[in-house]
Amino acid sequence: MRTFLSFVTSATLLSTAIVNPSMMSAQTVPTPATPIQHVVVIFGENVSFDHYFATYPVAVNPPGQPKFVAAPGTPAVNGLSGALLTNNPNLNSANGTGAANPFRLNRSQALTADQNHGDAAEQAAYDHFSMDLFPKDTGAAGGTPVLSPPVTTTKGMVMGYFDGNTVTAMWKYAQQYAMNDNSYNTQFGPSTPGALNLISGQTNGIVASLNGPSSNAVADGNGGFTLIGDADPLGDICSSTTAFTPTMGGKNVGDLLNAAGLTWGWFHGGFDLTLTNPNGTTGCKRSTVSPTTGLTEADYVQHHAPFQYYVSTRNEQHTRPTAPSTVGTAGDPANHQYDIHDFFDALAAGNLPAVSYLKAQSYQDAHPGNSNPLDEQAFVVNVINALQRSPFWNSTAVIINYDDSDGWYDHQAAPIVNASFTTNDSVSGTNACGTQGTTPQLPGIASGNTPVQGRCGYGPRTPMMVISPWAKQNFVDHTMTDQSSVLLFIEQNWNLGFIGGGSSDAIAGSLNNMFNFSPSTPPNATPLILSPVSGLPE
């Protein structure tokens, strides 16, 4: 293996060193600026907004499927109607046999093929904002079963969407709580950039790596590199030993939470390597059979674990926590990196960290090809039901959002708020994302005020939901937000300050409009307990 980059300086590592717990013991933990004392982020995989909410709140309601009927006064969303359904731009003949209008996927078609969601492919599908080359550039055929319409056997599968008869729980939560129909990936591209933007608002600054160079990173124009694709984190015991594996520099939200003395954790299915699954798998090879599809899928996906990319917040050997009572604390040997079962164990023990990020086992994470909306629903509902039955519910906000769109069709073009001009960029023209000298361009972690390349954004539109007693009821927010808006909410709620170093938190839109903090008691306090199977109220 040859080294792609060496560590920049020893000062880089020292700047992200783990906070000494003894130094934090005497500090005063900040008081939240809102009634929210606990933020739980459910970070799903690969869903565009139209893929889940195209026709919200109108469902077909065929016999034998969970029935969804919208509550009176339900607001409309920026979804699909009229010509977008019947004379869509993706009927463009350049899409070949995949040329298609959007079409409804039935509940029996929950498992679909994974679409192409690379940085360059997603930009190409926009076709300079004509939004008409999704089958050609991001489409992939297949799924089980692909019975109707015939276009599902072509790259036109990318035009498929679900409604409230399949993504039932999501639509029910939207009725009871708040969602945003104007939220985007911070930049184009797949899982790892999305996960990094969630916690740091930054994909620039690879400070070490093995087995490079790689097409998953581009030169930033300032002597460094920006990550634009998937790559396992360097040092994780489960990471590839032959593929490109980077370490990121700069700060993430874990550093801010540590400095403030707040409890937090990333909870990831399959992270506990000491367990043996019912099928006999253990260690990094743990796997689970989906009750929906019957397929066996690996539990832990290394490139979905963003805190593992940073020296200050990684747990290379997947060291276990001391006890459920220590989960989230500074002195715990797991360094805030846990298995998803540790979240439920801690909650049952009366311990809910101030900030929790939840990543399901891969069969439940919604990623097409290895997961599906029905298995995802079971995970999401079980988490929210457990929180609603806990003593923490009245002070909790659950935020649901996604790492990328998977390339699924979404008709709403993203506004370009951060420019890039590399050979991978094409959304605005040849080698262009934005306009030179006009579109703002954020700096990198060590570039001062000098712009860096590779962070073309915003990327595709994805769902964003807030489920909380303090959420507005049956509310659709149109505020422009992105993945780093979650970071911004945490920073502002505990007065942590911005991360800096060119983080997109500085330009992110606020989630506050989805809440109602005016009353002295939670205005939306009645729990909505759903069935993890049907998605309907129990």
Side-chain angles (χ1 to χ4, degrees), residues 105-115 140-148 152-153 157 162 290 292-295 297 368-375 408:
L105 289 165
N106 199 33
R107 190 177 175 91
S108 64
Q109 296 170 297
L111 180 66
T112 62
D114 183 22
Q115 307 299 296
T144 53
V146 284
L147 302 176
S148 179
T152 58
T153 63
M157 170 62 91
F162 295 105
S290 162
T292 300
T293 67
L295 300 177
E297 304 293 346
N370 57 262
S371 185
N372 60 87
L374 301 180
D375 281 328
W408 290 109

Side-chain angles (χ1 to χ4, degrees), residues 525-537:
T526 303
L528 177 62
I529 304 296
L530 300 180
S531 162
V533 177
S534 71
L536 296 174

Side-chain angles (χ1 to χ4, degrees), residues 466-509:
V466 167
I467 298 165
S468 171
W470 297 93
K472 294 177 181 176
Q473 190 169 32
N474 198 8
F475 180 75
V476 177
D477 183 26
H478 307 302
T479 304
M480 187 171 70
T481 62
D482 73 297
Q483 290 159 328
S484 64
S485 293
V486 178
L487 170 62
L488 176 66
F489 181 82
I490 293 168
E491 291 170 334
Q492 292 182 332
N493 195 55
W494 282 281
N495 194 28
L496 304 178
F498 290 134
I499 283 181
S503 172
S504 58
D505 61 351
I507 62 170

Side-chain angles (χ1 to χ4, degrees), residues 47 201 315 370 384-385 406 415 451 460:
V47 172
N315 178 356
N370 57 262
I384 294 174
N385 284 354
D406 199 57

Side-chain angles (χ1 to χ4, degrees), residues 49-122:
F49 184 86
D50 280 344
H51 189 53
Y52 269 15
F53 291 100
T55 63
Y56 179 86
V58 179
V60 171
N61 291 328
Q65 297 193 19
K67 186 175 182 179
F68 181 89
V69 178
T74 295
V77 299
N78 178 10
L80 300 180
S81 61
L84 286 172
L85 284 172
T86 60
N87 190 25
N88 192 274
N90 285 278
L91 290 171
N92 186 344
S93 61
N95 290 310
T97 59
N101 283 317
F103 57 89
R104 177 184 180 273
L105 289 165
N106 199 33
R107 190 177 175 91
S108 64
Q109 296 170 297
L111 180 66
T112 62
D114 183 22
Q115 307 299 296
N116 186 347
H117 45 289
D119 170 81
E122 289 182 343

Side-chain angles (χ1 to χ4, degrees), residues 131-185:
M131 310 302 283
D132 63 351
L133 292 181
F134 280 79
K136 176 179 179 289
D137 291 310
T138 63
T144 53
V146 284
L147 302 176
S148 179
V151 76
T152 58
T153 63
T154 75
K155 294 174 69 175
M157 170 62 91
V158 77
M159 301 300 292
Y161 64 84
F162 295 105
D163 71 7
N165 307 130
T166 301
V167 289
T168 312
M170 296 301 185
W171 282 36
K172 294 300 291 187
Y173 286 136
Q175 294 275 279
Q176 180 73 18
Y177 303 105
M179 74 168 168
N180 182 298
D181 69 348
N182 196 24
S183 191
Y184 302 87
N185 287 354

Side-chain angles (χ1 to χ4, degrees), residues 352-371:
L352 180 62
V355 178
S356 301
Y357 296 89
L358 275 55
K359 175 65 73 174
Q361 294 160 259
S362 71
Y363 85 96
Q364 291 183 315
D365 67 9
H367 194 302
N370 57 262
S371 185

Side-chain angles (χ1 to χ4, degrees), residues 194-242:
L196 294 177
N197 279 314
L198 175 75
I199 68 164
S200 71
Q202 179 65 272
T203 57
N204 178 249
I206 299 172
V207 295
S209 72
L210 292 175
N211 305 317
S214 168
S215 60
N216 289 320
V218 296
D220 66 8
N222 290 282
F225 290 84
T226 300
L227 192 69
I228 62 168
D230 290 336
D232 289 357
L234 178 63
D236 188 318
I237 193 174
C238 295
S239 287
S240 170
T241 58
T242 58

